[in-house]
Amino acid sequence: MENTRKCNYISNKFGIDNIKKDKAAILAAGGALAGFGLLESRKELVFKEYYDTPDFFFSENGGMVKNLKYHGMVGYNYNSDITIVIDFGTDIDKYSVQVEEAVRQIAKNMDSASTLTIISSGEIPTIEYSGSGTGCEKFSFSRLNAKKSSESFLELSLRLAANNMISTSSKKGIILLTDGNVDENSFTKYPLADVCSYLSNNDINFSAVLLSDMAPDYQIDYLESHLKGKTYYLYQSEGISSIVSDFNSINDGIYRFSFTSVMNAEYGRSFLPVEVEVYLHNRSGKDISGYFAPLD
Protein backbone atom coordinates (compact mmCIF):
# COMPACT_ATOMS: atom_id res chain seq x y z
CA MET A 1 0.00 0.00 0.00
CA GLU A 2 1.38 3.40 -0.95
CA ASN A 3 0.69 6.35 1.28
CA THR A 4 1.10 9.92 0.13
CA ARG A 5 2.41 11.99 3.01
CA LYS A 6 3.65 15.53 3.35
CA CYS A 7 6.81 16.30 5.22
CA ASN A 8 8.27 19.57 6.44
CA TYR A 9 12.02 19.71 6.91
CA ILE A 10 13.24 22.39 9.30
CA SER A 11 16.59 23.87 8.46
CA ASN A 12 18.43 27.08 7.87
CA LYS A 13 18.21 28.75 4.48
CA PHE A 14 20.59 27.01 2.10
CA GLY A 15 22.33 28.90 -0.69
CA ILE A 16 23.99 27.58 -3.83
CA ASP A 17 26.26 30.49 -4.68
CA ASN A 18 29.34 28.53 -5.75
CA ILE A 19 27.72 26.14 -8.22
CA LYS A 20 29.57 25.25 -11.40
CA LYS A 21 29.00 27.38 -14.45
CA ASP A 22 27.31 24.58 -16.41
CA LYS A 23 24.72 24.28 -13.65
CA ALA A 24 24.03 27.99 -13.54
CA ALA A 25 22.10 27.80 -16.80
CA ILE A 26 19.88 25.08 -15.39
CA LEU A 27 19.08 27.10 -12.32
CA ALA A 28 18.54 30.29 -14.28
CA ALA A 29 15.98 28.46 -16.39
CA GLY A 30 13.99 27.56 -13.29
CA GLY A 31 15.61 24.23 -12.50
CA ALA A 32 16.79 23.14 -9.09
CA LEU A 33 19.90 21.42 -7.80
CA ALA A 34 19.90 18.32 -5.65
CA GLY A 35 22.50 15.82 -4.67
CA PHE A 36 23.11 12.72 -2.57
CA GLY A 37 25.78 10.13 -2.00
CA LEU A 38 25.64 6.41 -2.72
CA LEU A 39 27.97 3.80 -1.26
CA GLU A 40 28.48 1.36 -4.12
CA SER A 41 29.70 -2.16 -3.30
CA ARG A 42 31.66 -1.00 -0.25
CA LYS A 43 33.72 1.30 -2.44
CA GLU A 44 34.21 5.02 -2.12
CA LEU A 45 31.24 7.33 -1.85
CA VAL A 46 30.10 8.27 -5.35
CA PHE A 47 28.34 11.61 -5.62
CA LYS A 48 25.39 11.80 -7.98
CA GLU A 49 23.45 14.87 -9.02
CA TYR A 50 19.84 15.39 -9.96
CA TYR A 51 17.88 18.47 -10.92
CA ASP A 52 14.40 17.98 -9.55
CA THR A 53 14.69 19.06 -5.92
CA PRO A 54 16.77 21.80 -4.26
CA ASP A 55 19.67 20.22 -2.39
CA PHE A 56 17.57 17.65 -0.53
CA PHE A 57 17.44 13.86 -0.71
CA PHE A 58 14.66 11.89 1.01
CA SER A 59 14.83 8.17 1.75
CA GLU A 60 13.09 5.50 3.83
CA ASN A 61 15.36 2.88 5.39
CA GLY A 62 17.89 3.79 2.73
CA GLY A 63 15.48 3.42 -0.20
CA MET A 64 14.36 6.34 -2.33
CA VAL A 65 10.87 7.72 -1.89
CA LYS A 66 8.60 8.28 -4.88
CA ASN A 67 7.26 11.48 -6.43
CA LEU A 68 9.39 13.84 -4.37
CA LYS A 69 8.29 17.40 -5.07
CA TYR A 70 9.63 20.70 -3.79
CA HIS A 71 6.92 23.26 -3.02
CA GLY A 72 9.11 26.17 -1.99
CA MET A 73 10.36 27.85 1.13
CA VAL A 74 7.57 28.83 3.51
CA GLY A 75 9.46 31.93 4.61
CA TYR A 76 9.11 33.38 1.11
CA ASN A 77 5.32 33.52 1.52
CA TYR A 78 4.16 36.96 2.54
CA ASN A 79 0.65 35.96 3.53
CA SER A 80 -0.67 33.91 6.42
CA ASP A 81 -3.66 31.67 6.94
CA ILE A 82 -5.16 32.66 10.28
CA THR A 83 -7.50 30.90 12.68
CA ILE A 84 -9.27 32.99 15.30
CA VAL A 85 -10.17 31.03 18.45
CA ILE A 86 -12.88 32.72 20.54
CA ASP A 87 -12.76 31.58 24.16
CA PHE A 88 -16.32 30.74 25.20
CA GLY A 89 -15.24 29.62 28.65
CA THR A 90 -15.14 33.21 29.90
CA ASP A 91 -17.96 35.73 30.32
CA ILE A 92 -17.93 36.03 26.57
CA ASP A 93 -21.36 37.68 26.35
CA LYS A 94 -19.94 40.73 28.10
CA TYR A 95 -17.39 41.08 25.31
CA SER A 96 -19.58 40.62 22.24
CA VAL A 97 -18.79 44.13 20.95
CA GLN A 98 -15.07 43.61 21.49
CA VAL A 99 -15.15 40.24 19.70
CA GLU A 100 -16.87 41.83 16.71
CA GLU A 101 -14.35 44.64 16.54
CA ALA A 102 -11.35 42.29 16.83
CA VAL A 103 -12.60 39.92 14.12
CA ARG A 104 -13.40 42.78 11.77
CA GLN A 105 -9.97 44.38 12.20
CA ILE A 106 -8.20 41.08 11.58
CA ALA A 107 -10.37 40.25 8.54
CA LYS A 108 -9.89 43.70 7.05
CA ASN A 109 -6.10 43.37 7.09
CA MET A 110 -5.89 39.89 5.58
CA ASP A 111 -4.68 39.22 2.06
CA SER A 112 -7.31 38.04 -0.42
CA ALA A 113 -5.32 34.84 -1.02
CA SER A 114 -5.32 33.92 2.68
CA THR A 115 -7.87 31.84 4.55
CA LEU A 116 -9.56 33.03 7.73
CA THR A 117 -11.11 30.43 10.04
CA ILE A 118 -13.12 31.14 13.19
CA ILE A 119 -13.48 28.57 15.97
CA SER A 120 -15.65 28.90 19.07
CA SER A 121 -13.87 27.32 22.02
CA GLY A 122 -16.48 25.87 24.33
CA GLU A 123 -17.00 22.41 25.73
CA ILE A 124 -17.09 21.20 22.11
CA PRO A 125 -14.96 23.30 19.70
CA THR A 126 -16.95 24.50 16.70
CA ILE A 127 -15.73 25.78 13.33
CA GLU A 128 -17.94 28.80 12.70
CA TYR A 129 -16.44 30.10 9.46
CA SER A 130 -13.71 29.33 6.96
CA GLY A 131 -13.05 31.41 3.86
CA SER A 132 -11.80 34.77 2.69
CA GLY A 133 -11.29 37.55 5.19
CA THR A 134 -13.69 39.74 3.22
CA GLY A 135 -16.52 37.49 4.37
CA CYS A 136 -16.00 38.66 7.96
CA GLU A 137 -15.45 42.38 7.50
CA LYS A 138 -18.99 42.87 8.84
CA PHE A 139 -18.82 40.00 11.30
CA SER A 140 -21.62 39.78 13.85
CA PHE A 141 -21.34 38.04 17.21
CA SER A 142 -24.92 36.84 16.83
CA ARG A 143 -23.85 34.66 13.89
CA LEU A 144 -21.93 32.31 16.18
CA ASN A 145 -23.60 28.95 16.68
CA ALA A 146 -21.76 27.94 19.83
CA LYS A 147 -23.27 28.71 23.19
CA LYS A 148 -21.48 29.91 26.27
CA SER A 149 -20.28 26.96 28.31
CA SER A 150 -19.32 26.53 31.94
CA GLU A 151 -16.27 24.63 30.67
CA SER A 152 -13.81 25.43 27.92
CA PHE A 153 -11.25 22.89 26.80
CA LEU A 154 -8.95 25.34 25.09
CA GLU A 155 -6.43 22.65 24.18
CA LEU A 156 -9.02 20.89 22.01
CA SER A 157 -9.76 24.12 20.16
CA LEU A 158 -6.07 24.78 19.54
CA ARG A 159 -5.55 21.26 18.22
CA LEU A 160 -8.61 21.60 15.99
CA ALA A 161 -7.19 24.85 14.65
CA ALA A 162 -3.83 23.19 14.02
CA ASN A 163 -5.32 20.14 12.29
CA ASN A 164 -7.27 22.44 10.01
CA MET A 165 -4.11 24.30 8.96
CA ILE A 166 -1.43 21.62 8.69
CA SER A 167 -1.73 21.05 4.94
CA THR A 168 -1.56 24.73 3.94
CA SER A 169 1.60 25.99 2.26
CA SER A 170 1.19 29.52 3.65
CA LYS A 171 2.44 30.72 6.98
CA LYS A 172 0.06 29.76 9.76
CA GLY A 173 -1.12 31.66 12.82
CA ILE A 174 -3.64 31.25 15.63
CA ILE A 175 -5.14 34.30 17.35
CA LEU A 176 -6.91 33.73 20.67
CA LEU A 177 -9.61 36.24 21.65
CA THR A 178 -9.86 36.16 25.43
CA ASP A 179 -10.34 38.27 28.52
CA GLY A 180 -7.07 36.81 29.80
CA ASN A 181 -8.54 34.08 31.99
CA VAL A 182 -7.96 30.43 31.13
CA ASP A 183 -10.55 27.91 32.33
CA GLU A 184 -9.23 25.58 35.00
CA ASN A 185 -10.34 22.59 32.90
CA SER A 186 -8.17 23.66 29.98
CA PHE A 187 -5.05 21.60 29.28
CA THR A 188 -6.25 18.63 31.31
CA LYS A 189 -6.75 16.35 28.30
CA TYR A 190 -3.55 17.55 26.60
CA PRO A 191 -0.86 19.22 28.76
CA LEU A 192 0.16 22.76 27.90
CA ALA A 193 3.70 21.76 26.87
CA ASP A 194 2.36 19.05 24.55
CA VAL A 195 -0.04 21.46 22.83
CA CYS A 196 2.78 23.98 22.42
CA SER A 197 5.04 21.32 20.89
CA TYR A 198 2.26 20.22 18.54
CA LEU A 199 1.84 23.76 17.23
CA SER A 200 5.58 24.37 17.03
CA ASN A 201 6.25 21.11 15.16
CA ASN A 202 3.70 22.16 12.55
CA ASP A 203 5.12 25.69 12.31
CA ILE A 204 2.01 27.39 13.70
CA ASN A 205 2.52 30.71 15.44
CA PHE A 206 0.32 31.97 18.28
CA SER A 207 -0.78 35.40 19.47
CA ALA A 208 -3.53 36.58 21.80
CA VAL A 209 -5.83 39.61 21.74
CA LEU A 210 -6.98 40.64 25.20
CA LEU A 211 -10.56 41.89 25.32
CA SER A 212 -10.05 43.40 28.77
CA ASP A 213 -7.15 45.15 30.47
CA MET A 214 -6.51 42.22 32.80
CA ALA A 215 -3.11 40.51 32.80
CA PRO A 216 -3.30 37.18 30.94
CA ASP A 217 -2.93 33.86 32.73
CA TYR A 218 0.42 32.09 32.48
CA GLN A 219 -0.81 29.62 29.83
CA ILE A 220 -1.26 32.46 27.33
CA ASP A 221 2.16 33.89 28.13
CA TYR A 222 3.72 30.45 27.71
CA LEU A 223 2.20 29.84 24.27
CA GLU A 224 2.95 33.32 23.01
CA SER A 225 6.57 33.25 24.17
CA HIS A 226 7.28 29.82 22.64
CA LEU A 227 5.43 30.31 19.35
CA LYS A 228 6.88 33.56 17.97
CA GLY A 229 3.79 35.55 18.88
CA LYS A 230 2.72 38.59 20.86
CA THR A 231 -0.03 39.64 23.24
CA TYR A 232 -2.14 42.58 22.07
CA TYR A 233 -4.69 44.62 23.97
CA LEU A 234 -7.66 45.37 21.75
CA TYR A 235 -7.76 49.04 22.75
CA GLN A 236 -4.04 49.73 22.82
CA SER A 237 -3.18 53.09 21.30
CA GLU A 238 -1.95 51.63 18.00
CA GLY A 239 -4.81 49.14 17.77
CA ILE A 240 -4.35 45.59 16.48
CA SER A 241 -4.25 46.35 12.74
CA SER A 242 -0.61 45.18 12.61
CA ILE A 243 -1.33 41.69 13.93
CA VAL A 244 -1.65 40.13 10.44
CA SER A 245 1.48 41.82 9.08
CA ASP A 246 3.34 40.72 12.23
CA PHE A 247 2.53 37.11 11.35
CA ASN A 248 3.52 37.68 7.71
CA SER A 249 6.91 39.08 8.69
CA ILE A 250 7.95 36.13 10.87
CA ASN A 251 11.06 34.55 9.38
CA ASP A 252 11.67 30.82 9.36
CA GLY A 253 13.82 28.22 7.65
CA ILE A 254 11.16 25.75 6.63
CA TYR A 255 11.08 24.08 3.22
CA ARG A 256 7.98 22.28 2.05
CA PHE A 257 8.07 18.92 0.24
CA SER A 258 5.65 16.17 -0.61
CA PHE A 259 6.44 12.58 -1.45
CA THR A 260 4.82 9.17 -1.81
CA SER A 261 5.88 6.65 0.80
CA VAL A 262 6.73 3.15 -0.43
CA MET A 263 6.46 1.61 3.03
CA ASN A 264 3.58 -0.38 4.47
CA ALA A 265 1.72 1.80 6.96
CA GLU A 266 -0.28 -1.16 8.34
CA TYR A 267 -3.36 1.06 8.55
CA GLY A 268 -1.53 3.64 10.66
CA ARG A 269 -0.01 1.23 13.19
CA SER A 270 3.54 1.18 11.83
CA PHE A 271 6.16 3.82 12.58
CA LEU A 272 7.49 5.06 9.23
CA PRO A 273 11.09 6.31 9.27
CA VAL A 274 12.29 9.02 6.91
CA GLU A 275 15.82 10.28 6.34
CA VAL A 276 16.63 13.70 4.91
CA GLU A 277 20.06 14.65 3.61
CA VAL A 278 21.04 18.17 2.59
CA TYR A 279 23.88 18.92 0.18
CA LEU A 280 25.57 22.32 0.35
CA HIS A 281 28.85 23.41 -1.20
CA ASN A 282 30.27 19.85 -1.40
CA ARG A 283 29.21 19.14 2.17
CA SER A 284 26.21 17.28 3.46
CA GLY A 285 24.20 16.84 6.63
CA LYS A 286 21.68 14.15 7.45
CA ASP A 287 18.96 13.59 10.04
CA ILE A 288 16.44 10.85 10.69
CA SER A 289 12.87 11.18 11.91
CA GLY A 290 9.58 9.36 11.42
CA TYR A 291 5.83 9.45 11.78
CA PHE A 292 2.65 7.39 12.00
CA ALA A 293 0.27 7.56 9.07
CA PRO A 294 -3.36 8.47 9.83
CA LEU A 295 -5.45 5.51 10.92
CA ASP A 296 -7.30 4.00 7.95
Side-chain angles (χ1 to χ4, degrees):
M1 178 187 298
E2 291 187 351
N3 302 283
T4 301
R5 302 291 175 249
K6 293 182 178 178
C7 177
N8 285 337
Y9 180 72
I10 301 178
S11 69
N12 292 320
K13 180 180 178 182
F14 289 90
I16 45 178
D17 297 330
N18 65 347
I19 57 174
K20 296 179 181 179
K21 290 183 179 180
D22 60 328
K23 298 174 186 174
I26 296 174
L27 294 163
L33 172 68
F36 66 97
L38 293 176
L39 189 61
E40 298 184 347
S41 303
R42 298 184 179 180
K43 297 180 181 180
E44 64 179 353
L45 191 68
V46 179
F47 188 76
K48 297 182 180 294
E49 294 173 348
Y50 295 81
Y51 297 96
D52 56 350
T53 58
D55 301 321
F56 293 89
F57 172 65
F58 284 66
S59 61
E60 297 173 306
N61 283 340
M64 293 182 65
V65 301
K66 291 185 177 181
N67 304 322
L68 178 62
K69 295 181 180 179
Y70 171 59
H71 299 284
M73 185 176 177
V74 176
Y76 285 157
N77 290 323
Y78 293 102
N79 60 290
S80 302
D81 287 345
I82 290 177
T83 297
I84 298 174
V85 176
I86 304 172
D87 189 1
F88 266 65
T90 63
D91 294 328
I92 193 64
D93 292 336
K94 295 195 311 185
Y95 300 104
S96 59
V97 174
Q98 289 89 333
V99 169
E100 290 180 346
E101 184 170 346
V103 171
R104 291 173 184 177
Q105 284 197 46
I106 295 167
K108 182 180 179 180
N109 287 279
M110 289 189 62
D111 186 271
S112 59
S114 301
T115 299
L116 173 64
T117 302
I118 298 176
I119 293 177
S120 295
S121 178
E123 186 173 357
I124 301 177
T126 304
I127 296 179
E128 304 279 2
Y129 174 85
S130 185
S132 172
T134 56
C136 286
E137 290 184 2
K138 296 182 179 180
F139 170 81
S140 173
F141 184 83
S142 62
R143 290 172 48 185
L144 298 177
N145 295 312
K147 303 298 180 183
K148 184 180 180 301
S149 172
S150 58
E151 296 181 317
S152 174
F153 296 101
L154 185 58
E155 72 273 32
L156 299 182
S157 300
L158 295 177
R159 286 180 64 89
L160 174 61
N163 292 340
N164 202 46
M165 305 173 78
I166 285 176
S167 62
T168 180
S169 59
S170 301
K171 293 180 179 178
K172 302 178 283 286
I174 294 175
I175 300 174
L176 175 65
L177 303 187
T178 175
D179 66 354
N181 291 313
V182 175
D183 190 279
E184 61 181 8
N185 294 306
S186 290
F187 303 104
T188 54
K189 296 187 177 182
Y190 297 97
L192 178 62
D194 289 355
V195 174
C196 186
S197 294
Y198 188 66
L199 298 182
S200 178
N201 290 339
N202 287 288
D203 192 39
I204 299 174
N205 305 309
F206 174 91
S207 288
V209 173
L210 300 180
L211 307 176
S212 72
D213 57 0
M214 295 176 57
D217 284 345
Y218 75 92
Q219 296 95 331
I220 297 174
D221 285 336
Y222 182 90
L223 291 170
E224 169 261 312
S225 62
H226 285 78
L227 297 170
K228 303 179 184 178
K230 299 179 181 179
T231 297
Y232 303 78
Y233 173 50
L234 178 61
Y235 295 119
Q236 61 191 29
S237 57
E238 63 272 28
I240 64 168
S241 59
S242 67
I243 191 169
V244 175
S245 60
D246 288 344
F247 275 127
N248 293 343
S249 63
I250 293 175
N251 293 320
D252 55 43
I254 294 180
Y255 297 77
R256 185 172 180 80
F257 296 85
S258 65
F259 65 88
T260 301
S261 173
V262 297
M263 302 192 71
N264 187 353
E266 293 187 2
Y267 305 102
R269 293 190 296 268
S270 292
F271 182 76
L272 306 179
V274 59
E275 305 96 30
V276 181
E277 185 169 358
V278 182
Y279 171 70
L280 174 66
H281 298 172
N282 294 321
R283 294 176 298 171
S284 67
K286 184 176 182 179
D287 203 356
I288 301 173
S289 185
Y291 61 95
F292 288 94
L295 293 173
D296 291 334

